Amino acid sequence: MGHPYTIREIARQAGLSEATVDRVLNHRGGVRESTAREVRRAIDDLDRQRTQVRIGGRTFMIDIVMQTPERFSSAVRDALEAELPSLHPAIVRSRFHFRETDPAAELVRDLDRIAARGSQGVILKAPDVPEVTTAVGRLVAAGIPVVTLVTDLPSSPRKAYVGIDNRAAGATAAYLIRQWLGDGPGHVLVTISRGSFRNEEEREMGFRSEMRAARPERRLVEVTDSDGLDSTQRELVRAALERDPEINAVYSIGGGNTATIEAFDALGRDLLAFVAHDLDHDNTRLLGERRLSAVLHHDLRQDMRRACQTIMRAHRALPDEGPFLPSAIQVVTPYNMPPT
C-alpha cells in the first residue's frame, strides 16, 4: 500500500486511531476488513486531494454526511473535489460518510462520532426527523458548524441551507409535464424516495399545487419508500402501473429512474413525459438516450463551494456575507446537455 502520507495524516483522514492505522499498514492483524477498507479509502481520498495542498494555507477538515443513493453521493464527491483548487489559499480536507439506506439511528451515530473526535464543519444531507435535528444540535454545541445540502433541517441550529428552492422546482416540473401532455388523457406517477426528506416533500407540494391549479381532474399517483434504489423502485412502479392503466407520465422526485423505465418497458406502456432531478451518471445516460424528457439540474460544484465557504466564514476565515439566493434551477434536455 504505497503512499507518501504519515500515519497521523491517514488516521486523521480516516477518523481512526494512529495505532489502528499502523496495524493496517503493517499487516499486524486484529483489524476488521471494514476498518482496513476505511484506511485504503482515506489514502485514496488523500491522493485525489493532494493536488490542492500548498504550504502556508489554513487547513479545514470537513465531514460530508449523506443518506442518498450512490449515484448522487458520487456526484457530490466529484463536485467537491473539482472545487478544491478554487478554495485556495485554504486547504480543505474531506471525509465522506455515505449511506444509501439505514435507520436514522445509524446516521445519528455517524454525527455523534464526528462531534466526539472533532471537525471544522459538516455538510449534511439527512431526513428531517427529530433525532437528526437533535444530533445537529450536539454538533453545533461542540463548536462544529453544519451546512445542510439539497434538503434542509430548518428547525435545527444549522448554519445555512445550500440548494435549490424545492417548491419552485416541483412547480417547474408540473409546468413542463403540462406542456407535453396538453389536453390529452393520462395520469402522472410521482415517485418519492422517502417521505422524511424535506426537499422531496416540498417538491411534491409545488408539483401538486401547480397541477391542481391547471388540471385538477388529472390524477397524480404516488410511489414512495424506495430510497431511490433501482432494486426497490422497479416493483413499486410496476405495481402502480398494473393498478392504473392510464399512467403515461412521470415526475421523479427521488430517483430510481432506470428501474422506472424498465417497469414501463416490461408492461409495454407508453411514457409521454418524464421529468427527473440531477445530472448524475444514470440521468445523463437516460437523457442522452431520449428516455428522459428533461432533468431539473443545479450547479452542484457551486453548491459545494458555497457550503465550504460558509464553514470557513463560521471560523472567521472569510468575511461575512449576506444570505445568498437559492441555486438556479436549470432545465436540461437532450439538446442542451452540458459537456462531460
Side-chain angles (χ1 to χ4, degrees), residues 119-123 139-140 143-147 158-159 310-311 314-315:
S119 175
Q120 272 71 55
V122 170
I123 299 172
L139 283 166
V140 173
I144 301 172
V146 176
V147 177
R158 52 89 172 127
K159 187 71 175 176
T310 299
I311 290 171
H315 291 282

Side-chain angles (χ1 to χ4, degrees), residues 8 15 17 21-22 26 46 61-62 81 96 134-135 144 148 199 206 215 229 251 265 278 282 284 300 311 322:
R8 176 173 295 180
S17 71
V21 172
D22 181 68
N26 292 289
L46 289 167
M61 179 61 78
I62 295 177
E81 293 180 348
F96 300 97
T134 302
I144 301 172
T148 52
N199 66 324
R215 290 292 303 272
L229 302 177
Y251 174 37
D265 289 347
D278 302 314
D282 279 3
T284 298
L300 198 51
I311 290 171

Side-chain angles (χ1 to χ4, degrees), residues 42-85:
I43 292 171
D44 288 343
D45 290 342
L46 289 167
D47 283 339
R48 282 193 301 271
Q49 299 167 34
R50 191 178 183 191
T51 56
Q52 188 217 2
V53 176
R54 60 185 277 183
I55 296 173
R58 184 171 174 181
T59 299
F60 293 86
M61 179 61 78
I62 295 177
D63 290 270
I64 296 86
V65 182
M66 302 180 68
Q67 182 175 317
T68 190
E70 181 276 334
R71 60 181 177 270
F72 188 71
S73 61
S74 293
V76 167
R77 184 196 294 265
D78 291 346
L80 174 61
E81 293 180 348
E83 281 302 301
L84 291 180

